[in-house]
Amino acid sequence: MLRRGALSSGTGGVDVRKLTLFKSKFVQFELLEGEDVKRKALVPVVGLFLELFKDVPNDDVPRLFTRENLQSFAMHIARFTVREIRERATNHSTAEASRNVVVFFAQTKEGQLMVSSLLRLVVIGNVTIEPMASMALPSTLTKLLYLLLDLPAEVAITPYARNFYNSIHQVLHILFSNQRCTAELMRTSSSSRLPSDLSRLFDLIHTSTPIHNLRWRELAGKVLVQLFSKAPVPALISHTRKHSILSNTCTSILKSTSLTLTEKAHAIQCVCRCVFGCDQANALSLIGSLTSANIPKIIAQFLLDHEQEWSRQQHQEEEDEKSREKDMDEQDAVVAAEETIGLTDKVAKDASLMKDNQRQQSKLSNRTTTPSSLPSSKTSSSTTT
């Protein structure tokens, strides 16, 4: 008979008592009414979930928690995340909105728990990703990338902002490898004339942004390559061809007046990686759409027109790199000199202290020696008398 609180092989090493308590708490949470009430009650439930299933194999989580409960839980997490992002973006500038989002998810207990739960849920697979996609999580995260291109520098350079980037990078890497998310990114354009989230991602890779936010633009490129190489459903290829997304993107990149030649090259490279990340049939289909828009010739002509400028820019970048290395060497030399001077001063001070100690010890020794010799003198005088 299994004693209370014991671990069972059938529970994947999870404490039976804690598992029962968690299920009970989740049932109570499900019965609550009102978004604000549920929002407040969700935080302790998330904490219990992360504690219980942190090290449980992914395949065991649906069995222990039940598939239905796990899907419902994933839906609540996605809804909460989407709501928090939208609330912090509404009626604010992009800079203020991006700051609000990063501070909430990176510095508050609620936000950190939500990010941790997203990371834990997406790795479980389709059983959790499907309900999260149905709550528009992929679409909302795509729009969030746009906001983060305007993240203020004083926030972007902080350690907590870098941690937030690493977490979102992991979530998107897994989430956008799933075909359910690919469908979600295209579905948003079917009911309106607005561009799809897939088109927005391609727009992101050639949008100008400050240097401290370049990683967010690069992340958009990585997400696109992930979509075409890991989750290329037939609808993705047809949608891309139908809306001329690749040819429009290349044209916009080459005509941009805000991007450097190097940035344009990286953006074109991203488009090429999307094409050649597909299987052969899909790649040939996408190449055909680019060829019909005369894109290969336009790119070739662009390279010829800017060959000298490209060489100058590469030379300038090399000179800048050498200058930076020289500055760093000089800074290192200054630091080394300061350390040497500091060490010399320390040695001099230590030597001075040592001399002072020796003088003090010598004085103490003299004081100790004089009284000890007096009895011997008296004894000698007494003996003589």
Side-chain angles (χ1 to χ4, degrees), residues 1-20 52 64:
M1 184 176 180
L2 191 67
R3 60 185 174 83
R4 184 182 181 187
L7 303 179
S8 167
S9 59
T11 60
V14 175
D15 189 305
V16 176
R17 181 180 59 83
K18 289 184 178 181
L19 180 60
T20 304
L52 273 175
L64 295 173

Side-chain angles (χ1 to χ4, degrees), residues 176-180 182 225-233 236:
F176 283 57
S177 298
N178 189 281
Q179 293 183 349
R180 178 65 179 82
T182 307
V225 173
Q226 198 75 0
L227 279 173
F228 280 84
S229 61
K230 301 295 183 182
V233 295
L236 174 66

Side-chain angles (χ1 to χ4, degrees), residues 369-383:
T369 304
T370 302
S372 63
S373 62
L374 289 176
S376 175
S377 179
K378 288 181 179 179
T379 305
S380 176
S381 299
S382 176
T383 305

Side-chain angles (χ1 to χ4, degrees), residues 362-374:
S362 177
K363 290 179 181 179
L364 289 173
S365 175
N366 291 336
R367 290 175 184 175
T368 306
T369 304
T370 302
S372 63
S373 62
L374 289 176

Side-chain angles (χ1 to χ4, degrees), residues 193-244:
R193 295 182 180 180
L194 295 174
S196 66
D197 290 313
L198 181 65
S199 295
R200 289 191 179 97
L201 279 173
F202 275 103
D203 287 342
L204 268 171
I205 66 173
H206 60 85
T207 299
S208 181
T209 185
I211 190 169
H212 56 265
N213 289 327
L214 284 178
R215 58 187 172 191
W216 295 110
R217 189 174 71 188
E218 292 169 356
L219 180 55
K222 293 176 182 178
V223 165
L224 281 170
V225 173
Q226 198 75 0
L227 279 173
F228 280 84
S229 61
K230 301 295 183 182
V233 295
L236 174 66
I237 307 303
S238 60
H239 177 87
T240 303
R241 286 177 57 94
K242 178 182 178 180
H243 296 278
S244 304

Side-chain angles (χ1 to χ4, degrees), residues 189-348:
S189 66
S190 60
S191 58
S192 68
R193 295 182 180 180
L194 295 174
S196 66
D197 290 313
L198 181 65
S199 295
R200 289 191 179 97
L201 279 173
F202 275 103
D203 287 342
L204 268 171
I205 66 173
H206 60 85
T207 299
S208 181
T209 185
I211 190 169
H212 56 265
N213 289 327
L214 284 178
R215 58 187 172 191
W216 295 110
R217 189 174 71 188
E218 292 169 356
L219 180 55
K222 293 176 182 178
V223 165
L224 281 170
V225 173
Q226 198 75 0
L227 279 173
F228 280 84
S229 61
K230 301 295 183 182
V233 295
L236 174 66
I237 307 303
S238 60
H239 177 87
T240 303
R241 286 177 57 94
K242 178 182 178 180
H243 296 278
S244 304
I245 292 177
L246 296 185
S247 57
N248 290 341
T249 299
C250 289
T251 302
S252 297
I253 292 170
L254 298 178
K255 289 183 177 180
S256 173
T257 58
S258 59
L259 299 177
T260 66
L261 284 176
T262 301
E263 289 177 317
K264 290 180 179 182
H266 288 162
I268 293 292
Q269 183 184 42
C270 178
V271 174
C272 293
R273 289 179 64 194
C274 289
V275 173
F276 294 107
C278 300
D279 57 45
Q280 185 176 7
N282 287 330
L284 289 173
S285 177
L286 293 174
I287 290 172
S289 68
L290 288 169
T291 303
S292 63
N294 211 29
I295 295 301
K297 290 184 178 180
I298 293 174
I299 293 176
Q301 187 61 48
F302 174 83
L303 294 175
L304 288 173
D305 292 343
H306 294 83
E307 183 177 5
Q308 292 184 351
E309 183 181 352
W310 182 268
S311 298
R312 285 197 300 270
Q313 184 167 319
Q314 283 185 315
H315 177 71
Q316 185 60 48
E317 289 176 354
E318 291 174 358
E319 290 299 316
D320 291 343
E321 182 63 26
K322 290 178 181 178
S323 178
R324 282 193 294 270
E325 291 178 355
K326 182 180 178 181
D327 290 342
M328 291 178 65
D329 290 341
E330 290 176 353
Q331 290 175 5
D332 291 341
V334 170
V335 171
E338 289 175 348
E339 290 177 348
T340 302
I341 293 171
L343 182 60
T344 304
D345 289 343
K346 185 177 183 301
V347 170

